[in-house]
Amino acid sequence: MKYLATLTIIDQEKHQASRPAHLKYVSELYEQRKVFAAGPFPDGKGGLVIYDCDSDDEAKRLANADPAVTSGARTVELRAWTTLDLPLHF
């Protein structure tokens, strides 16, 4: 199942310091097929990570272990997400 993690920046100084570790973390999870996609919002206030996990607990564990979150640079809001089987035929 996919999980959307909205990461909102709450401390710019901590964000700058934790960003390299955050990017490394997300990239490593992508290589493990635990991250489907990730990227920043154009307004510079945070970003989104889409996790691909087997359970709610796994998604929570991965999202909360992100260095951007553990450093106090960002908050995380996690939601389960179901994709549509596109294209839809009517």
Side-chain angles (χ1 to χ4, degrees):
M1 176 173 278
K2 302 284 191 291
Y3 295 84
L4 305 180
T6 304
L7 298 163
T8 303
I9 297 169
I10 57 171
D11 186 313
Q12 279 293 338
E13 198 171 299
K14 288 179 182 178
H15 164 65
Q16 291 301 322
S18 67
R19 192 167 187 271
H22 161 71
L23 293 174
K24 182 176 187 236
Y25 180 75
V26 170
S27 183
E28 288 172 352
L29 290 177
Y30 178 82
E31 290 175 353
Q32 297 169 26
R33 299 180 186 258
K34 292 297 177 182
V35 166
F36 175 75
F41 297 128
D43 64 7
K45 294 181 181 178
L48 181 77
V49 177
I50 303 174
Y51 292 97
D52 193 352
C53 296
D54 296 325
S55 69
D56 292 353
D57 288 338
E58 180 185 25
K60 287 176 191 174
R61 181 178 54 79
L62 294 178
N64 287 315
D66 187 318
V69 176
T70 61
S71 70
R74 299 182 186 207
T75 59
V76 62
E77 180 185 342
L78 190 67
R79 295 186 69 177
W81 181 51
T82 305
T83 59
L84 293 175
D85 188 16
L86 297 173
L88 299 176
H89 299 283
F90 297 91

